[in-house]
Amino acid sequence: MEVQEGRKGIPTLLSSQGECIASNITQLIGWTPLIELKNIAKKDGINARLIGKIEPYQPLSSVKDRSALRLIEDAEEKSLISPGITTLVTVTSGNLGIGVAFVAAQKGYKSIVVMPAKVAIDKQILLRYLGIEVILVGKKLSTMSIIPMEQFSDGTYLYLADPALKGFKGLLDRVEQLKKEMENIYVVDQFTNPANPDAHFRWTGPEIWRDTEGKVDIFVTGSGSGGTLTGTGRFLKMKNPSVKLICVEPAESAVISGGEPAFHNIQGIGPGFVPETLDTSQIDEILTVTTQEAMDMARRLAREEGLLVGISSGANAAACLKVAAREENKGKMIVTMFSSGGERYLHSELFAQVKEECVKINMAF
């Protein structure tokens, strides 16, 4: 099998002669399959093709594995970081931090993650399991700005911040504190570093173009850091300027649409500001999806298509249905991202009902 331009991951291994064994886990970051949502389309009477890119096939089950690799490789190429010397600091809602964690482990970097205290505990558990120092910002404790907790058996620490440190600004404030407290810090910044969208221009966009044979008409995806939307959209529009790019954001916090930031529960998108890495000039349309719509659709994907994906994936699919229902989109191919695996949200509201049911059943034994 000849490796096609823009592909990494599994195709690289399959193209080799002899053994097909990855030399390290970062070699597996890259190509993921597309799947057509035929059951949902049929049930809803949709006359367009709904296609999802299954990013749970990444080594650690998230589209952010791509961004993490490119952000670190870019810093290495510019001689900004050195294994064994530099500590990588990542501001994240969880998935980028997990991506950076396993790439850093393979390459020999220490890693610290700064994240909101109320994100899914599953992500916090995974980060600590990977040996990462975790800093939670925004949890109500006392008037102290930072309270270091005891050192855990794996050598990591957990810090809890007071309510004065809120939102994204609170995360950045804590990063600035770290810069003063530690030497050889490098911030893996997905919100301003062009290496983030570059990952998707290099890999995600070409994969979608090749696997659809250039038939993609509309690309729909949510915006967190803006990397996937900007990089993938830029590539697809370069190949075919008529490809329509639709941005999805939470209805409760429709900042890109001009609204005010507010709380929502679609983890991974809608950070409450417009990142530098989001090229809004490329966007043809912005669609809003409520948290309830996102969760309902994520559950439908599981029960009707057998796809176990996260909340933002549900938001993307819900937006796709809205687009596909339009008469002008009849017969068109609409591609979206299934950004992360559902297991990462087991302790979130997404699984709350079935979790409660399982607890009640087990209490009977």
Side-chain angles (χ1 to χ4, degrees):
M1 175 181 175
E2 181 182 353
V3 179
Q4 297 172 319
E5 182 184 357
R7 289 186 185 269
K8 287 177 66 70
I10 293 173
T12 304
L13 296 177
L14 296 178
S15 68
S16 62
Q17 300 296 320
E19 293 184 347
C20 292
I21 302 172
S23 58
N24 64 71
I25 193 169
T26 66
Q27 192 178 350
L28 300 177
I29 298 172
W31 178 85
T32 54
L34 297 177
I35 188 168
E36 186 162 359
L37 307 181
K38 291 190 174 183
N39 290 343
I40 287 177
K42 182 178 180 180
K43 185 172 182 178
D44 288 27
I46 297 298
N47 292 315
R49 298 186 68 186
L50 305 178
I51 311 295
K53 190 162 178 60
I54 313 179
E55 289 299 287
Y57 271 60
Q58 297 294 350
L60 262 68
S61 306
S62 162
V63 66
K64 294 294 186 179
D65 292 0
R66 298 177 184 267
S67 299
L69 179 63
R70 185 66 200 126
L71 286 162
I72 292 173
E73 285 183 339
D74 179 71
E76 289 178 327
E77 291 164 6
K78 295 174 179 175
S79 301
L80 299 175
I81 58 177
S82 299
I85 298 174
T86 308
T87 297
L88 305 179
V89 176
T90 309
V91 175
T92 177
S93 63
N95 284 333
L96 181 71
I98 293 168
V100 169
F102 84 86
V103 175
Q106 172 59 42
K107 288 177 171 285
Y109 295 97
K110 182 180 178 182
S111 182
I112 297 174
V113 164
V114 181
M115 63 193 302
K118 292 187 177 181
V119 300
I121 195 171
D122 304 87
K123 297 175 183 177
Q124 298 176 30
I125 292 169
L126 288 171
L127 284 163
R128 284 197 50 214
Y129 188 78
L130 289 164
I132 301 304
E133 189 171 328
V134 179
I135 297 176
L136 299 182
V137 175
K139 188 175 179 66
K140 294 182 179 180
L141 289 173
S142 68
T143 57
M144 295 177 62
S145 60
I146 297 292
I147 302 177
M149 305 299 285
E150 64 178 316
Q151 184 174 4
F152 296 102
S153 59
D154 59 4
T156 65
Y157 289 83
L158 176 66
Y159 293 83
L160 300 178
D162 72 8
L165 296 173
K166 292 182 178 179
F168 187 72
K169 183 180 182 301
L171 302 178
L172 294 182
D173 288 346
R174 184 59 183 125
V175 169
E176 290 303 312
Q177 289 182 11
L178 286 173
K179 289 180 179 179
K180 296 175 182 178
E181 297 165 1
M182 301 178 64
E183 295 182 348
N184 300 313
I185 289 276
Y186 179 80
V187 180
V188 182
D189 189 350
Q190 63 177 320
F191 298 103
T192 64
N193 194 331
N196 177 13
D198 184 54
H200 302 284
F201 182 83
R202 287 174 177 241
W203 305 323
T204 315
E207 289 172 24
I208 291 173
W209 183 257
R210 290 185 181 279
D211 288 346
T212 63
E213 294 186 324
K215 296 174 184 176
V216 52
D217 296 297
I218 304 170
F219 180 63
V220 180
T221 194
S223 177
S225 67
T228 305
L229 186 72
T230 297
T232 306
R234 186 176 294 156
F235 181 88
L236 294 177
K237 283 180 175 288
M238 180 185 73
K239 300 297 287 187
N240 179 5
S242 67
V243 171
K244 191 173 182 180
L245 184 61
I246 297 180
C247 173
V248 182
E249 66 173 339
E252 299 91 340
S253 185
V255 175
I256 304 171
S257 303
E260 293 297 319
F263 175 77
H264 65 90
N265 210 0
I266 308 178
Q267 295 181 35
I269 68 172
F273 63 98
V274 181
E276 291 181 29
T277 43
L278 177 63
D279 183 359
T280 56
S281 68
Q282 290 189 128
I283 299 172
D284 295 294
E285 182 182 354
I286 302 171
L287 281 179
T288 60
V289 174
T290 67
T291 296
Q292 190 61 54
E293 287 176 316
M295 292 196 180
D296 288 345
M297 182 54 65
R299 295 174 185 126
R300 282 194 67 187
L301 288 168
R303 295 170 182 177
E304 296 175 36
E305 298 285 356
L307 291 167
L308 192 57
V309 294
I311 305 169
S312 67
S313 300
N316 287 343
C320 282
L321 282 183
K322 294 181 181 182
V323 174
R326 300 171 183 171
E327 183 63 28
E328 68 266 23
N329 293 329
K330 183 177 180 181
K332 291 186 177 179
M333 180 183 288
I334 304 168
V335 178
T336 193
M337 301 294 290
F338 294 147
S339 303
S340 58
E343 296 97 329
R344 196 154 288 181
Y345 305 90
L346 286 173
H347 291 83
S348 75
E349 185 183 341
L350 182 62
F351 285 85
Q353 182 177 342
V354 292
K355 180 180 178 181
E356 182 180 354
E357 292 170 356
C358 290
V359 169
K360 288 180 178 179
I361 291 172
N362 277 272
M363 287 178 64
F365 290 91

